[in-house]
């Protein structure tokens, strides 16, 4: 078990665990966990909640699939698998996972962004913070504290209210509303979507377009 590398969410959700235990006790199987063989060891890559649920009901017969890639690919796979799970990561959890990947200093911006669900521009900001913090960068487990430290702000004893996290939560709610209202109709026709946004934002459309630039993928950034 290497949760620092392979548990992007950063901890157990007891409510989710309780639901999984109930499923097992009703004799329902859970999805297989993903394991990587490393020498004589077996490393759990994906399925920490499922693994713990089996442990709690005293069942050691856990459905398992094996990951065939290398350890570096396994770290990215853990993030992608969590992003697709029914218990998705919050914005701060995605950012913290991206920060951990940046600290490993092994992946391109594009690969970190893809695995963590963040943008390449945010990964670039994390890289700048890592460089600014130097050898002290490893002392910061969360991106919130690392970012504030890079800005020269002492966050010891301060609650981690992150305005960026708040904005992401509001944006996620708006995105959910759009998805429920329009299903795939907006994304299926970008031209009509753009026309609707232009009508909605009016004179403020240039501001929105400017903000959207930070979310565009960097197509020429496959390497470092």
């Amino acid at each position: 078990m290497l949760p620092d590398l392979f548990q992007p969410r950063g901890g157990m959700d007891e409510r989710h665990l309780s639901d999984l235990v109930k499923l097992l006790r009703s004799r329902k199987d859970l999805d297989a966990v993903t394991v990587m063989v490393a020498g004589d060891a077996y490393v759990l890559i994906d399925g920490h909640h499922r693994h713990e649920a089996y442990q709690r009901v005293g069942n050691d017969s856990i459905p398992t699939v094996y990951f065939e890639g290398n350890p570096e690919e396994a770290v990215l796979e853990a993030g992608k698998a969590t992003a697709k799970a029914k218990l998705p990561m919050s914005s701060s959890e995605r950012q913290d996972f991206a920060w951990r990947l940046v600290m490993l200093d092994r992946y391109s911006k594009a690969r970190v962004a893809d695995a963590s669900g963040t943008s390449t521009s945010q990964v670039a900001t994390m890289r700048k913070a890592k460089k600014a913090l130097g050898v002290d960068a490893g002392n910061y487990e969360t991106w919130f504290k690392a970012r504030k430290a890079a800005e020269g702000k002492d966050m010891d004893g301060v609650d981690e209210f992150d305005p960026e996290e708040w904005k992401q939560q509001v944006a996620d709610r708006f995105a959910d509303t759009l998805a429920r209202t329009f299903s795939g109709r907006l994304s299926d026709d970008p031209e009509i979507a753009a026309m609707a946004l232009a009508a909605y934002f009016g004179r403020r459309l240039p501001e929105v377009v400017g903000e959207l630039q930070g979310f565009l993928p960097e197509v020429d950034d496959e390497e470092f």
Side-chain angles (χ1 to χ4, degrees), residues 108-110 120-121 213 215-223:
S108 69
K109 285 185 288 186
T120 52
S121 60
Q213 297 299 319
F215 296 92
L216 295 176
E218 298 180 15
V219 295
D220 61 344
D221 187 44
E222 290 303 319
E223 300 301 326

Side-chain angles (χ1 to χ4, degrees), residues 3-221:
D4 288 345
L5 281 178
F6 297 116
Q7 194 172 8
R9 193 176 288 107
M12 290 288 178
D13 184 292
E14 288 297 326
R15 181 175 179 180
H16 184 53
L17 262 175
S18 177
D19 290 340
L20 293 177
V21 168
K22 288 177 182 177
L23 285 174
L24 285 176
R25 286 176 175 163
S26 65
R27 300 184 182 277
K28 293 184 179 180
D29 292 329
L30 304 180
D31 291 340
V33 301
T34 304
V35 168
M36 179 181 66
V37 179
D40 295 330
Y42 295 86
V43 182
L44 182 63
I45 294 176
D46 175 54
H48 289 76
H49 283 82
R50 281 165 278 157
H51 180 273
E52 178 65 19
Y54 276 101
Q55 296 295 310
R56 292 192 181 187
V57 299
N59 186 349
D60 292 328
S61 180
I62 304 175
T64 303
V65 295
Y66 291 92
F67 182 73
E68 301 295 338
N70 61 44
E72 291 182 4
E73 293 169 336
V75 176
L76 300 180
E77 181 67 20
K80 292 179 181 179
T82 302
K84 296 176 182 177
K86 293 181 180 179
L87 186 66
M89 290 188 288
S90 67
S91 176
S92 61
E93 287 170 335
R94 291 195 300 270
Q95 292 171 18
D96 289 346
F97 181 53
W99 173 243
R100 283 153 57 189
L101 293 178
V102 167
M103 289 300 301
L104 290 175
D105 201 23
R106 291 179 176 272
Y107 309 106
S108 69
K109 285 185 288 186
R111 296 188 76 185
V112 172
D114 182 51
S116 61
T118 57
S119 66
T120 52
S121 60
Q122 185 165 38
V123 176
T125 300
M126 291 180 180
R127 285 184 166 190
K128 291 178 183 177
K130 178 177 178 289
K131 184 176 181 180
L133 293 170
V135 295
D136 293 329
N139 296 332
Y140 302 97
E141 296 182 357
T142 68
W143 166 234
F144 175 80
K145 289 186 176 180
R147 177 164 57 85
K148 293 301 182 182
E151 295 171 356
K153 299 176 182 178
D154 183 7
M155 300 306 294
D156 288 341
V158 177
D159 291 337
E160 289 193 23
F161 170 75
D162 190 346
E164 295 300 320
E165 165 74 3
W166 174 81
K167 286 189 286 187
Q168 184 64 57
Q169 290 176 352
V170 175
D172 288 344
R173 290 200 297 270
F174 287 171
D176 289 342
T177 300
L178 287 172
R180 289 194 300 269
T181 304
F182 299 104
S183 185
R185 286 177 290 170
L186 279 180
S187 58
D188 289 342
D189 198 324
E191 182 181 3
I192 292 179
M195 293 170 65
L197 291 175
Y200 180 81
F201 286 105
R203 293 181 179 180
R204 301 202 67 177
L205 185 63
E207 297 177 47
V208 177
V209 172
E211 293 293 338
L212 284 172
Q213 297 299 319
F215 296 92
L216 295 176
E218 298 180 15
V219 295
D220 61 344
D221 187 44

